[in-house]
Amino acid sequence: MSLLIAGNWKMNGLGNQLEDIRAVAECADANPIVDVLMCVPSTLISRAVQSSAGRIAIGGEDCAPDAAGAFTGDISAEMLKDAGASVVLAGHSERRRKYHETDVMVGAKVTAASRAGLGAIICVGETKDQHARGDALSVCAEQIAGSLPQNLEPCSGSAIAYEPLWAIGSGQTPRLDEIAKTLRHIRGCLRTQIGEQEGAMRILYGGSITPDNARGILELPEVGGLLIGGASLRSRDLSAIIRVADEIAGQRSTGLCKAATCEIEQLAAERLVAPSSGLAFDPVARFANGWVSRNVEVGPFSWDDPPIYEGPIQLFRDAAAQAGFSDSELERSLGPVPQFIAHSFSEAAARWLGAEHLRRLEAKAASL
Ligand code: 13P
């Protein structure tokens, strides 16, 4: 899964700020590896969808637990979906604190999001006092246990956002080692809570992100992306962060690609001993060997290479199509942007190898 850069406009934004959405969408277009989401006030959702022309995802900031009924002023997950949102924030600390939302209420909203087919970004994090007492891990664990439905099957785009309350809008952030430690802990809690499905959820960091501190945080392997408040209101700042994230996501993919290739070679060596299974496997193994040596280390790949590569090329095309790229964009990117292909390859390999395998590859990639 690529990195996600998510903006949260909170109670900010009028129609005349849709220009910023357009600018962010253009930046996302030019930086295709990273995923971009803008969570905006409900009044702007459908216009933001139009302004971004499908190039970024648009999300809501909150939803009611019920689908419809006598709840004056509330907006349901189904209504957000109808307006064009694909994701909704749940349990942002401002709602937990200012509107007294409990874990149980947040859990009901997450269930509502899933019912409507929206991804839910569930926010957790400790106060300044809890941080000072060394309680960050236990607070996050408790919030996850209380806010995540036990049998949750996360919709696409679902994530946990770790947002320490004392870091939001304060200009302060935890140390990098603290962020890494907390995110590892959250990953463990997720596994306990929803089992294998945990692999489908990113873990984001949020709180006083700026173009200056984004790189250090995004370089932590535990971080699956950022949830950004203030800086997301300034398209120039957000675009700078998107560019950094795209670069880092590309580097991660290249590492994954190399690790996947090692793995494929090893598997191929094992399986090619048996001729019956070897036939199916051989083209992928040969493609992977050839492709990496040509594109990552040596030079460009040629579409005229023997038909033995057709199956693997189809994998790339599928991965690219799923990521929203046309064949011509894919071909264009073969020469000048090998990182994109590395990304496609790692995504394709992930689907082909399965989640468990992917985790092993990630560990291997980190050690390369
Ligand atoms: P800031 O980036 O302004 O600190 O806000 C973080 C946040 O609350 C995002 O949801």
Side-chain angles (χ1 to χ4, degrees), residues 205-217:
Y205 168 80
S208 292
I209 289 290
T210 65
D212 292 335
N213 63 19
R215 180 178 290 277
I217 296 175

Side-chain angles (χ1 to χ4, degrees), residues 334-346:
L334 277 170
V337 197
Q339 280 187 345
F340 165 66
I341 296 299
H343 177 66
S344 295
F345 182 75
S346 62

